[in-house]
Amino acid sequence: GWLEKDAAGAAAYVLNHLEEPRALLSVRTTAFGLFFVDKDVAVSWVQKLPTEEIRREAETEIVKYWSGSDPTAAANWSAHLPAEERDAALGTVVTSWSLQDADAALTWINGLSGGVRDEALETLAFPKVQASPRRRRSKWLIQLPIATAGRRH
């Protein structure tokens, strides 16, 4: 479609029509399309979006697909988003990654610190806990490095 033939034109059109009723759908579709045309263009386009709500929609759409092909890169990008935008994107990528390879996701999370680490640990634990049989779930939870996560002095 249009994104494949003229990515810059299609992206500019969406930016200029954000007040329309279906703007969020257009933003998600454009973020998805730009990601597959050129991920760097998609990532920079997101930064041009005018509001936190709209950026969050686009960021979440990008990491939904990025986490399938390169979860480390998607997680790194998500972790560096502004705090008010980070939770949805980070949650999406960590959830996806944990279902693919929870140990790799946990290793990545262990390299984080502070609030980003706490957010990622919470997201990682939830799907694993929901999907695991009781005995495996208990063993897995005990292995989580939460002794220092979230500890407040």
Side-chain angles (χ1 to χ4, degrees):
W2 187 11
L3 270 168
E4 294 166 350
K5 294 176 186 170
D6 181 15
Y13 179 85
V14 171
L15 280 174
N16 291 322
H17 291 86
L18 291 173
E19 72 286 346
E20 293 182 8
R22 299 184 60 116
L24 286 180
L25 177 60
S26 296
V27 166
R28 287 192 297 267
T29 302
T30 302
F32 165 79
L34 285 175
F35 176 79
F36 285 103
V37 171
D38 184 334
K39 109 177 131 35
D40 294 328
V41 170
V43 166
S44 88
W45 179 76
V46 167
Q47 303 314 309
K48 296 175 187 172
L49 295 169
T51 69
E52 176 186 322
E53 175 189 12
I54 295 171
R55 284 189 302 275
R56 286 170 60 108
E57 289 290 326
E59 291 158 353
T60 302
E61 193 68 20
I62 287 171
V63 298
K64 184 175 11 174
Y65 296 99
W66 200 354
S67 63
S69 62
D70 190 349
T72 304
N76 287 334
W77 181 70
S78 298
H80 290 93
L81 291 170
E84 61 276 1
E85 296 173 25
R86 179 179 56 230
D87 64 335
L90 186 61
T92 298
V93 71
V94 169
T95 298
S96 173
W97 196 1
S98 70
L99 294 172
Q100 297 169 41
D101 186 348
D103 293 333
L106 182 58
T107 298
W108 178 81
I109 290 169
N110 281 331
L112 300 173
S113 61
V116 176
R117 183 174 185 265
D118 294 347
E119 287 176 41
L121 272 173
E122 289 172 15
T123 302
L124 176 68
F126 183 75
K128 186 74 171 181
V129 169
Q130 297 298 84
S132 297
R134 177 175 267 180
R135 183 177 294 222
R136 281 190 16 234
R137 176 174 54 217
S138 298
K139 184 177 177 183
W140 189 85
L141 281 172
I142 290 168
Q143 295 172 356
L144 280 176
I146 57 175
T148 58
R151 184 178 282 175
R152 310 279 191 271
H153 295 285

